[in-house]
Amino acid sequence: MDYQSIITFFMEMAGTVAFAASGAMVGVERNMDIFGVSVLGVVTAVGGGMIRDIVLGIIPPNVFINPVYALVATITSCLVFLVFYWKRQLLEGHMRLTYDRVMLVMDSIGLGIFTVVGVNTGIRSGYMDNVFLLVFLGTITGVGGGLMRDMMAGVPPYIFVKHIYACASIVGAVVCVYMNRFVGNVEAMMVACFVVILIRYLAAHYRWNLPRLSHNESEK
Amino acid sequence: MDYQSIITFFMEMAGTVAFAASGAMVGVERNMDIFGVSVLGVVTAVGGGMIRDIVLGIIPPNVFINPVYALVATITSCLVFLVFYWKRQLLEGHMRLTYDRVMLVMDSIGLGIFTVVGVNTGIRSGYMDNVFLLVFLGTITGVGGGLMRDMMAGVPPYIFVKHIYACASIVGAVVCVYMNRFVGNVEAMMVACFVVILIRYLAAHYRWNLPRLSHNESEK
Amino acid sequence: MDYQSIITFFMEMAGTVAFAASGAMVGVERNMDIFGVSVLGVVTAVGGGMIRDIVLGIIPPNVFINPVYALVATITSCLVFLVFYWKRQLLEGHMRLTYDRVMLVMDSIGLGIFTVVGVNTGIRSGYMDNVFLLVFLGTITGVGGGLMRDMMAGVPPYIFVKHIYACASIVGAVVCVYMNRFVGNVEAMMVACFVVILIRYLAAHYRWNLPRLSHNESEK
């Protein structure tokens, strides 16, 4: 296992924990049982990578070859469930703000890491020159899990309603693709990951929003 | 066609009819037209197997090579539609209880059969040693169709709200995987299928539930 | 690039523009920001083809090899967004009728073209004799994008609630498959495409509906 693989592995682990926690928290908020919470956590953590592998023809998807990701996601989800099971008040009052903030941080880290991991998987599969495919792979790895989480939980997909979520992932993927041509692979991943988290943080902090139609018409 | 293939074929047929009926009944309840009811029936019956085949790289998925499954599912769905079309009162009053009970039985049988068929497909594809993949294949074959049905019908996915639905499938898949190592293939499928149906039945009858957070906070 | 490829290319372009516009309009109506509108437009335009390619084992899906489709879909979506951004009143009052009519026309053209393109992709992949697979490929290419659009936008899938939408696609696919055996490929595509648009138009104009259960029971 070379240097690059080790870095990638640790980044993937961190992303898995972050996304599993964010998925589990959506399940907790929807009042699901421990199984539903775990499924949402695992789907959020491995769903994007699974779509990416199927699109790339990596059969069976990597998540089944290295079950450690799903295992870590399951354990993380169960821990999140237990924390809220014993400390229910964490979901209420001013603790709610902390909840939202932790959720944001978790989600941003996962988004950044998974975006660059997705781009990297595409490069290793030999599609270095197909920028469009690489950016798609990065973005779907980054937002795919959250999208599946929201569709399964029956909530409006986060990527459509909140700030410039997926845009951060797209920008990060583009940065990662182009930096790969000039600097080393690991450096490109680090910088691009940081870019995603920074954009996401700034967008949330300064309430950046993309242009949209006014709210005149009533939404159904 | 050997003994094992024949048994598998008949089990799949029974599972297809059961799942198609359960899918069609969801469509009927949602007041869909005959086409929507048929689509929901077919999706419920073949959706899980299609996801499984794509994950395994069986291209094109088996459902297109043997259209008999989709055909049987379509006929079953149309029959269900016609029954409720002519006997609308079956959806009301005390008949409602019978409806729910039939739905439960259909769904349990389909879940049990499709779980073991999924595990078996994985074993035949040569993944005997990847327990995690086999259990996933069994579970996705078992619950995938119902999940797609619920997402398409716009109802909260059954596997997240009802009893220990998917857990039964997971336990059955694990039983099937390990029994395959000690007894014959057909025997393992029979026993595991029975285990799924039993757990599902007991869970519904005794209202087993997994731990969840209390209902204090209002659901949005 | 032979004659047939050129015709197919122009048809696909027209279908892409039509479907991207229909997807973007759903996003505009749901008050999404410009990113969400673009994603919905692109998903509607390329989603069906992507599912088709994955089922056929065309890896990576064609949309990533020829990014022109996604590019055209993105530009179309942004244009639609800008039109409604500057002329908000287009969504209100009697303009609403025009909106609905344009949407219907766009959607019908896209449905017709993508249905025959889907069938054609299957034929070129060598499945000429598997009628069931070809019809599925045509239908999923035709309705898959719209289905993903509706599931992601959180609206009840159009194919389940409106007229005989998917039926038109199925009939067109069957026509396309059988005409391919008697006349040339391009002629079959033209006729089948026209059949889909005609059925769709007549169904909307004369308010054809498939039988459904009465609305006695309250929908939840």
Side-chain angles (χ1 to χ4, degrees):
Chain A
M1 214 176 182
D2 59 308
Y3 169 64
Q4 184 189 330
S5 298
I6 294 168
I7 297 282
T8 309
F9 176 78
F10 277 105
M11 288 182 78
E12 279 193 283
M13 270 304 133
T16 301
V17 170
F19 262 11
S22 96
M25 284 165 91
V26 169
V28 163
E29 212 184 356
R30 302 287 289 181
N31 202 26
M32 289 178 177
D33 62 28
I34 192 168
F35 176 79
V37 168
S38 299
V39 169
L40 274 195
V42 173
V43 163
T44 310
V46 310
M50 214 172 119
I51 299 177
R52 176 200 63 209
D53 287 352
I54 289 175
V55 167
L56 276 174
I58 301 175
I59 296 291
N62 189 41
V63 57
F64 299 116
I65 306 302
N66 297 318
V68 64
Y69 299 109
L71 189 69
V72 167
T74 308
I75 294 170
T76 306
S77 305
C78 291
L79 287 179
V80 168
F81 180 85
L82 292 176
V83 166
F84 285 101
Y85 191 69
W86 284 311
K87 292 273 180 198
R88 196 176 308 144
Q89 60 273 28
L90 287 178
L91 271 173
E92 289 150 20
H94 77 286
M95 295 306 286
R96 181 73 210 195
L97 272 180
T98 315
Y99 168 93
D100 286 342
R101 203 162 298 154
V102 171
M103 181 88 182
L104 174 69
V105 171
M106 284 296 168
D107 214 61
S108 302
I109 295 174
L111 185 67
I113 291 176
F114 277 1
T115 299
V116 299
V117 166
V119 171
N120 211 37
T121 307
I123 291 176
R124 290 212 220 175
S125 298
Y127 296 106
M128 185 69 205
D129 296 324
N130 192 333
V131 176
F132 177 62
L133 176 59
L134 289 181
V135 172
F136 171 82
L137 291 173
T139 308
I140 198 71
T141 312
V143 310
L147 184 60
M148 286 173 75
R149 171 195 68 201
D150 294 340
M151 286 169 75
M152 288 171 87
V155 300
Y158 200 69
I159 65 162
F160 289 142
V161 288
K162 275 282 153 69
H163 308 296
I164 56 172
Y165 188 72
C167 282
S169 176
I170 292 178
V171 171
V174 171
V175 167
C176 189
V177 170
Y178 283 104
M179 283 202 63
N180 255 293
R181 307 196 169 171
F182 303 114
V183 301
N185 184 267
V186 172
E187 290 79 5
M189 286 174 76
M190 293 291 184
V191 173
C193 179
F194 177 74
V195 167
V196 174
I197 296 173
L198 187 71
I199 295 180
R200 178 100 171 76
Y201 175 78
L202 291 176
H205 192 75
Y206 293 105
R207 302 185 180 285
W208 286 351
N209 273 306
L210 293 170
R212 70 174 63 210
L213 301 181
S214 73
H215 282 263
N216 289 2
E217 60 269 8
S218 62
E219 289 222 287
K220 204 166 50 180
Chain B
M1 213 176 183
D2 58 308
Y3 169 64
Q4 183 189 332
S5 298
I6 292 168
I7 297 282
T8 309
F9 176 78
F10 277 104
M11 287 181 79
E12 279 193 282
M13 270 303 133
T16 301
V17 169
F19 262 10
S22 97
M25 283 165 91
V26 169
V28 162
E29 211 185 357
R30 302 286 291 180
N31 202 26
M32 290 179 175
D33 62 28
I34 192 169
F35 175 78
V37 168
S38 299
V39 169
L40 275 195
V42 173
V43 163
T44 311
V46 309
M50 214 171 119
I51 299 177
R52 176 200 64 209
D53 287 352
I54 289 176
V55 166
L56 275 174
I58 301 176
I59 297 293
N62 189 40
V63 57
F64 299 116
I65 306 302
N66 298 318
V68 64
Y69 300 109
L71 188 69
V72 167
T74 308
I75 293 170
T76 307
S77 305
C78 290
L79 287 179
V80 168
F81 180 84
L82 292 176
V83 166
F84 285 100
Y85 192 69
W86 283 311
K87 292 272 180 198
R88 195 175 309 145
Q89 62 273 27
L90 286 177
L91 271 172
E92 289 149 22
H94 78 284
M95 296 305 287
R96 180 74 210 193
L97 270 180
T98 315
Y99 169 93
D100 285 343
R101 203 161 298 154
V102 172
M103 180 89 183
L104 173 69
V105 171
M106 284 295 169
D107 214 60
S108 301
I109 295 174
L111 185 67
I113 290 177
F114 277 0
T115 299
V116 299
V117 166
V119 170
N120 210 37
T121 308
I123 291 176
R124 290 214 220 173
S125 297
Y127 295 106
M128 184 69 206
D129 295 324
N130 192 334
V131 176
F132 176 62
L133 177 59
L134 290 181
V135 171
F136 171 83
L137 291 173
T139 308
I140 198 70
T141 311
V143 309
L147 184 59
M148 286 172 74
R149 172 195 67 200
D150 294 340
M151 286 170 74
M152 289 171 87
V155 300
Y158 200 68
I159 65 161
F160 288 142
V161 288
K162 276 282 153 65
H163 307 297
I164 56 172
Y165 187 72
C167 281
S169 176
I170 292 177
V171 171
V174 171
V175 167
C176 188
V177 169
Y178 283 104
M179 283 201 63
N180 256 292
R181 308 196 169 170
F182 303 113
V183 301
N185 185 268
V186 172
E187 289 78 6
M189 287 174 76
M190 293 292 183
V191 172
C193 178
F194 178 74
V195 167
V196 174
I197 295 173
L198 186 71
I199 295 180
R200 179 101 171 78
Y201 174 79
L202 291 176
H205 192 75
Y206 293 105
R207 303 186 178 284
W208 286 350
N209 274 306
L210 293 170
R212 70 174 63 209
L213 301 182
S214 73
H215 281 264
N216 289 1
E217 60 271 7
S218 62
E219 289 222 288
K220 205 166 47 178
Chain C
M1 213 175 183
D2 58 309
Y3 169 65
Q4 183 189 332
S5 299
I6 293 168
I7 297 281
T8 309
F9 176 78
F10 277 105
M11 287 181 78
E12 279 193 283
M13 269 303 133
T16 301
V17 170
F19 262 10
S22 96
M25 285 165 91
V26 169
V28 163
E29 211 184 358
R30 301 286 291 180
N31 202 27
M32 289 179 177
D33 62 28
I34 191 169
F35 175 79
V37 168
S38 299
V39 169
L40 275 195
V42 173
V43 163
T44 311
V46 309
M50 215 172 118
I51 300 177
R52 175 200 64 209
D53 288 352
I54 290 176
V55 167
L56 275 174
I58 300 176
I59 296 292
N62 188 40
V63 57
F64 299 115
I65 306 302
N66 297 317
V68 64
Y69 300 109
L71 189 69
V72 167
T74 309
I75 294 171
T76 306
S77 306
C78 290
L79 287 178
V80 168
F81 180 85
L82 292 176
V83 166
F84 285 101
Y85 191 69
W86 283 312
K87 293 273 180 199
R88 195 175 310 144
Q89 62 272 28
L90 287 177
L91 272 172
E92 290 149 20
H94 77 286
M95 296 305 288
R96 181 73 211 193
L97 271 180
T98 316
Y99 169 94
D100 285 341
R101 204 162 298 153
V102 171
M103 181 89 183
L104 174 68
V105 171
M106 284 296 167
D107 213 62
S108 301
I109 294 174
L111 185 68
I113 290 176
F114 277 0
T115 299
V116 299
V117 166
V119 171
N120 211 37
T121 307
I123 291 176
R124 291 213 219 174
S125 298
Y127 295 106
M128 185 69 205
D129 295 325
N130 192 333
V131 176
F132 177 62
L133 177 59
L134 290 181
V135 172
F136 171 81
L137 291 173
T139 308
I140 198 72
T141 312
V143 309
L147 184 60
M148 285 173 74
R149 172 195 67 200
D150 294 340
M151 285 169 76
M152 289 171 86
V155 300
Y158 201 69
I159 65 162
F160 288 142
V161 288
K162 276 282 153 67
H163 308 296
I164 56 172
Y165 187 73
C167 282
S169 176
I170 292 177
V171 171
V174 171
V175 167
C176 189
V177 169
Y178 283 104
M179 283 202 63
N180 255 290
R181 306 195 171 173
F182 302 114
V183 301
N185 185 267
V186 172
E187 289 78 5
M189 286 174 75
M190 293 291 184
V191 172
C193 179
F194 178 74
V195 166
V196 174
I197 296 174
L198 186 72
I199 295 180
R200 179 100 172 77
Y201 175 79
L202 290 176
H205 192 75
Y206 293 105
R207 303 186 180 284
W208 285 350
N209 273 305
L210 294 170
R212 70 174 62 210
L213 301 182
S214 72
H215 281 264
N216 288 2
E217 60 272 7
S218 62
E219 288 223 287
K220 203 166 52 176

